[in-house]
């Protein structure tokens, strides 16, 4: 099956996209901002020392691509401990300026990580609110960032060709969801970068479900992306999945930590996990009178005459991963 071989190779060549400067791993936030703040000058303290808010922003905007639990071979960008090391400076003002310089000009000339660009490619330019960038940069500068398990000496990747062990069914389900998301994301973002959003719509229309099915074969699992507002009718959630979508929406809206849902029988585990929107999603899933360009709206109507997947804002549940696998 050529497409299966292609998928296996993709997992080793996933491109560098998203807000790479800001894509950080989940961090160990200190419980006392005052203790951290006392180490910095008054000038630096002009910036907000709200570590928890910066952490939440990174988790909602950045973990789409940079999950600290992934093996080296599964990353779609360099680990953010490497990004922090490359951009670190003696004072926060310089650190923030360097980050903004890269974000405003994402090219080789403005990067401090040319080797990473050689490996992953140049990220598409992102548009995030100035306040969000400062809060995330503040967290990155002042707080420790979780390192991948392979970062300190253990550089052997967990290849997709090797049998991988998991500590829990939750970890296994998350692995299936994130690796599938990475393959879809790599192809989608690569298409946007090379050919634009209109071409990406054609890619989604013709390749998203086949790629998902191929990853299901890789993992020996059933993998679906379903929604209560599907773009493609084939992605319509069933009654049980609709119930879980509503639960995840309530959890997210109430500010609670969103965790996977597991349902087990004697032989099979059913895994559910939310698909949340970020700023990139809004190019095709935002407001048709605001975020989505008119030519994209026209293309959506042509490709998806029954499209319901618009009108979203950031940090909303657009659907769920519905994955089943044998115990």
């Amino acid at each position: 099956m050529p497409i299966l071989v292609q998928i296996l190779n993709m997992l080793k060549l996933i491109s560098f996209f998203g807000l790479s400067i800001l894509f950080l791993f989940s961090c160990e936030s200190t419980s006392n901002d005052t203790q951290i703040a006392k180490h910095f000058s008054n000038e630096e303290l002009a910036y907000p020392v709200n570590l928890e808010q910066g952490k939440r922003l990174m988790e909602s905007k950045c973990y789409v691509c940079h999950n600290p639990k992934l093996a080296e071979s599964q990353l779609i960008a360099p680990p953010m401990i490497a990004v922090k090391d490359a951009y670190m400076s003696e004072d926060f003002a310089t650190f923030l300026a360097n980050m903004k310089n890269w974000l405003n000009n994402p090219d080789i000339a403005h990067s401090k990580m040319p080797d990473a660009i050689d490996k992953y490619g140049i990220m598409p330019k992102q548009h995030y609110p100035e306040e969000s960038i400062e809060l995330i940069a503040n967290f990155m500068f002042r707080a420790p960032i979780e390192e991948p398990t392979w970062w300190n000496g253990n550089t052997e990747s967990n290849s997709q060709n090797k049998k991988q062990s998991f500590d829990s069914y939750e970890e296994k389900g998350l692995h299936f969801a994130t690796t599938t998301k990475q393959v879809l994301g790599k192809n989608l973002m690569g298409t946007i970068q090379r050919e634009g959003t209109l071409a990406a719509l054609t890619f989604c229309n013709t390749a998203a479900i086949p790629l998902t099915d191929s990853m299901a074969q890789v993992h020996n699992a059933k993998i679906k992306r379903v929604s209560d507002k599907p773009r493609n009718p084939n992605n319509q959630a069933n009654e049980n999945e609709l119930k879980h979508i509503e639960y995840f929406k309530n959890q997210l809206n109430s500010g609670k930590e969103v965790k996977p849902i597991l349902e087990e029988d004697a032989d099979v585990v059913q895994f559910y996990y939310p698909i949340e929107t970020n700023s990139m999603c809004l190019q095709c899933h935002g407001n048709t009178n605001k975020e989505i360009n008119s030519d994209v709206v026209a293309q959506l109507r042509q490709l998806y005459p029954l499209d319901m997947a618009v009108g979203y804002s950031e940090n909303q549940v657009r659907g769920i991963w519905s994955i089943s696998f044998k115990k």
Side-chain angles (χ1 to χ4, degrees):
M1 291 180 292
I3 191 168
L4 180 57
V5 174
Q6 182 182 5
I7 296 304
L8 293 172
N9 291 331
M10 286 177 187
L11 291 171
K12 297 179 181 178
L13 298 173
I14 298 172
S15 62
F16 184 15
F17 72 93
L19 193 51
S20 64
I21 299 301
L22 305 181
F23 283 173
L24 313 180
F25 296 94
S26 67
C27 304
E28 303 285 343
S29 178
T30 181
S31 60
N32 191 335
D33 286 358
T34 303
Q35 290 182 346
I36 290 182
K38 69 182 181 182
H39 296 291
F40 298 91
S41 68
N42 289 334
E43 178 183 1
E44 289 164 346
L45 289 177
Y47 294 95
V49 189
N50 189 334
L51 300 182
E52 185 60 32
Q53 187 175 357
K55 180 175 185 290
R56 288 197 303 269
L57 282 169
M58 282 195 298
E59 290 176 345
S60 64
K61 297 179 181 295
C62 309
Y63 277 25
V64 172
C65 310
H66 297 266
N67 188 324
K69 307 302 182 186
L70 294 179
E72 184 180 7
S73 62
Q74 298 166 1
L75 288 173
I76 59 176
M80 285 306 103
I81 185 65
V83 175
K84 178 173 181 175
D85 288 348
Y87 282 81
M88 199 60 178
S89 60
E90 294 185 358
D91 62 275
F92 177 63
T94 302
F95 176 73
L96 178 61
N98 288 337
M99 289 179 61
K100 288 183 175 180
N101 188 39
W102 162 254
L103 294 173
N104 292 328
N105 306 279
D107 56 38
I108 188 68
H110 294 90
S111 173
K112 294 181 180 293
M113 304 183 72
D115 291 342
I117 290 177
D118 288 342
K119 182 175 182 179
Y120 300 104
I122 292 279
M123 74 171 193
K125 186 171 182 177
Q126 304 294 307
H127 300 280
Y128 281 83
E130 189 86 358
E131 181 182 359
S132 295
I133 295 174
E134 293 189 0
L135 284 167
I136 295 172
N138 177 69
F139 181 76
M140 183 180 186
F141 185 82
R142 305 182 195 279
I145 298 175
E146 183 178 349
E147 300 176 4
T149 55
W150 49 265
W151 181 251
N152 290 325
N154 179 18
T155 58
E156 182 181 358
S157 299
N158 291 322
S159 169
Q160 290 297 312
N161 296 315
K162 299 178 182 179
K163 183 174 178 61
Q164 189 162 355
S165 60
F166 302 95
D167 294 332
S168 66
Y169 292 135
E170 177 179 315
E171 182 181 340
K172 188 173 185 177
L174 280 171
H175 171 73
F176 291 173
T178 54
T179 53
T180 304
K181 177 172 62 178
Q182 287 162 5
V183 168
L184 291 171
K186 180 261 180 184
N187 283 272
L188 178 63
M189 293 302 297
T191 302
I192 291 175
Q193 190 172 7
R194 294 188 306 270
E195 305 175 55
T197 305
L198 287 177
L201 286 176
T202 301
F203 160 79
C204 288
N205 182 257
T206 59
I209 290 180
L211 282 174
T212 302
D213 291 343
S214 294
M215 288 304 296
Q217 294 181 43
V218 169
H219 293 309
N220 191 27
K222 294 180 180 179
I223 302 177
K224 298 189 300 177
R225 295 178 306 140
V226 298
S227 177
D228 56 334
K229 294 171 56 179
R231 174 149 287 166
N232 185 331
N234 292 327
N235 296 120
Q236 175 64 52
N238 61 34
E239 184 176 353
N240 191 46
E241 291 163 344
L242 288 171
K243 178 184 68 176
H244 294 316
I245 290 173
E246 192 62 28
Y247 171 80
F248 285 130
K249 286 181 179 181
N250 291 335
Q251 292 293 100
L252 192 64
N253 291 338
S254 62
K256 296 179 180 178
E257 181 181 2
V258 179
K259 295 183 178 181
I261 295 173
L262 296 177
E263 296 175 346
E264 302 180 41
D265 61 23
D267 302 310
V268 176
V269 176
Q270 182 68 44
F271 172 91
Y272 303 97
Y273 195 65
I275 299 171
E276 299 180 31
T277 55
N278 57 41
S279 62
M280 289 298 297
C281 301
L282 303 188
Q283 294 183 37
C284 299
H285 294 283
N287 192 305
T288 55
N289 297 317
K290 185 179 179 182
E291 290 93 358
I292 308 179
N293 292 335
S294 58
D295 55 346
V296 175
V297 172
Q299 181 83 332
L300 283 171
R301 288 172 179 167
Q302 179 179 348
L303 293 175
Y304 302 99
L306 301 178
D307 181 24
M308 299 170 60
V310 294
Y312 289 98
S313 57
E314 288 188 65
N315 306 320
Q316 290 188 322
V317 175
R318 192 176 68 79
I320 59 173
W321 292 97
S322 179
I323 301 174
S324 61
F325 51 88
K326 293 182 179 179
K327 290 185 173 179

